[in-house]
Amino acid sequence: MREVAKTEFLARAGWAAARRSHLAGDASARSYERLVLGDQRAVLMDAPPGCGDDIGDFHRIGAHLAGLGLSPPLTLAMDEAQGLMLIEDLGDGIYARLLEADSTAELPLYTAAVDALIRLQCAAPPGPLPDLSAADWAASAALAPEFYALAATGDRPDAAPLIGALETAIRAHADGPRVLILRDYHAENLLWLPDRQGVARVGLLDFQLGQMGQPEYDLVSLLQDARRDVSPGVEAAMVAHFARETGRGDITASYATLGALRALRIIGIFARLTMVAGKDRYLAFLPRVWGQLMRNLAHPGLVELRGETLALLPDPTPAIIERIRSCSPPSP
């Protein structure tokens, strides 16, 4: 039935004769196909209704980003009821691939990405958006004890002390003004568009709804990437560049707090993807994310949070990772 809906949508959009090829899938239910029709190219985004993604929101945030001179994929056609969208094909210049081929490009690519982030945050957001409180943000990290600790140890611990310590840390260090954040601002979701100028050279993918959040959240997402190691020198330079250009002053405590929050959430999400959806490929990233978590928790303002984290969550050793993998549902 899903294939019928896609075929009918493409016919209505004038792309029925396009050659289709799988482009990507991600941790959500979304999937993407590349379409080629003569000398034209586009991308079909399939976001099944009821799976948490609304293409109407994607279109609205994309229009806002384009209005700021940034480079989201433009909407070519959409069927909101079916969760189908035809969008601009921004090419194959994914940051992660370019950096794998040429590590010397890291500093200029990340500088451009931070500059695009600054442009985004300097603008007013596009109307009402979800705005989580410190308590809400802290509660989102309950995924770590709920899934990771359960799979790793066989017991689901009481998450309250960890969540309480995290909320206290957020209130103390990262509960100031909110800006529009994209949440998954990292090397797999950014493209280099060298034929464009300024911040428009950074193509933006996977922003979905967007929401209000702390200024350093997307900076952490970029520089503490679950999928690749950003060199320490580039990370430090980009944190300093962001703080200087935004006039934020010393952001080390906020950066570490939000880094710890994000790492805890990711650890829980990767375990959940394994246990619920059988997507165990994300387990390979756990040691890197754990290392990021430990570096963030080394900040002197996060002593209590570090203690509560280490009391609940074991180090993702190879044995622990295999134990989590064994929790995958059986193949159909």
Side-chain angles (χ1 to χ4, degrees):
M1 290 296 294
R2 196 66 190 158
E3 184 57 35
V4 171
K6 289 193 282 188
T7 300
E8 292 176 348
F9 170 68
L10 291 176
R12 292 194 302 271
W15 286 75
R19 186 171 73 253
R20 296 165 56 183
S21 59
H22 176 73
L23 183 59
D26 57 26
S28 74
R30 292 188 306 273
S31 62
Y32 301 85
E33 294 180 47
R34 171 164 280 155
L35 309 181
V36 178
L37 183 62
D39 60 354
Q40 301 180 79
R41 300 205 314 179
V43 170
L44 173 64
M45 182 171 76
D46 180 5
C51 292
D53 294 319
D54 185 332
I55 63 169
D57 291 327
F58 184 91
H59 173 73
R60 181 168 63 99
I61 297 298
H64 172 72
L65 298 175
L68 300 179
L70 300 172
S71 291
L74 301 179
T75 301
L76 305 177
M78 61 187 290
D79 183 334
E80 191 166 358
Q82 289 289 342
L84 295 169
M85 197 169 194
L86 195 62
I87 58 177
E88 179 185 11
D89 186 344
L90 294 177
D92 295 311
I94 298 289
Y95 265 44
R97 297 176 193 166
L98 298 178
L99 292 165
E100 185 176 2
D102 180 11
S103 61
T104 65
E106 191 175 53
L107 182 59
L109 287 181
Y110 275 83
T111 301
V114 171
D115 287 342
L117 194 58
I118 293 168
R119 171 70 64 85
L120 168 68
Q121 295 189 2
C122 285
L129 289 170
D131 187 356
L132 302 184
S133 67
D136 294 331
W137 277 114
S140 72
L143 292 170
E146 182 179 355
F147 289 96
Y148 175 79
L150 175 62
T153 68
D155 295 316
R156 181 181 284 115
D158 179 10
L162 172 62
I163 301 309
L166 181 53
E167 181 181 349
T168 297
I170 293 170
R171 290 189 185 281
H173 305 301
D175 202 23
R178 300 296 203 261
V179 297
L180 173 62
I181 62 172
L182 306 183
R183 298 190 63 167
D184 285 320
Y185 195 78
H186 56 71
E188 295 284 349
N189 287 334
L190 301 175
L191 300 103
W192 185 239
L193 307 173
D195 293 336
R196 302 188 185 187
Q197 300 295 317
V199 294
R201 294 175 297 172
V202 182
L204 307 175
L205 302 177
D206 200 19
F207 39 83
Q208 301 308 313
L209 168 64
Q211 70 174 75
M212 303 303 291
Q214 298 87 337
E216 289 79 29
Y217 191 91
D218 279 350
L219 186 69
V220 167
S221 181
L222 177 68
L223 300 176
Q224 296 187 14
D225 194 327
R227 295 164 178 80
R228 71 175 304 272
D229 294 314
V230 178
S231 66
V234 168
E235 180 180 9
M238 292 300 95
V239 170
H241 177 60
F242 179 87
R244 181 174 59 251
E245 294 301 317
T246 58
R248 296 274 296 158
D250 183 359
I251 63 171
T252 54
S254 177
Y255 183 80
T257 302
L258 297 173
L261 162 67
R262 191 167 187 279
L264 286 166
R265 293 188 69 254
I266 289 172
I267 287 169
I269 288 168
F270 285 173
R272 182 179 64 180
L273 285 169
T274 299
M275 298 168 70
V276 175
K279 296 182 178 181
D280 62 355
R281 65 185 180 274
Y282 294 98
L283 297 181
F285 305 134
L286 281 178
R288 176 181 292 113
V289 179
W290 183 264
Q292 293 164 350
L293 175 61
M294 292 299 104
R295 289 196 299 275
N296 288 314
L297 292 178
H299 189 281
L302 300 179
V303 172
E304 180 186 359
L305 180 58
R306 179 183 177 87
E308 296 296 348
T309 299
L310 294 178
L312 289 189
L313 307 181
D315 189 321
T317 62
I320 290 292
I321 290 174
E322 288 310 307
R323 188 176 301 164
I324 299 171
R325 195 185 311 277
S326 71
C327 296
S328 296
S331 301

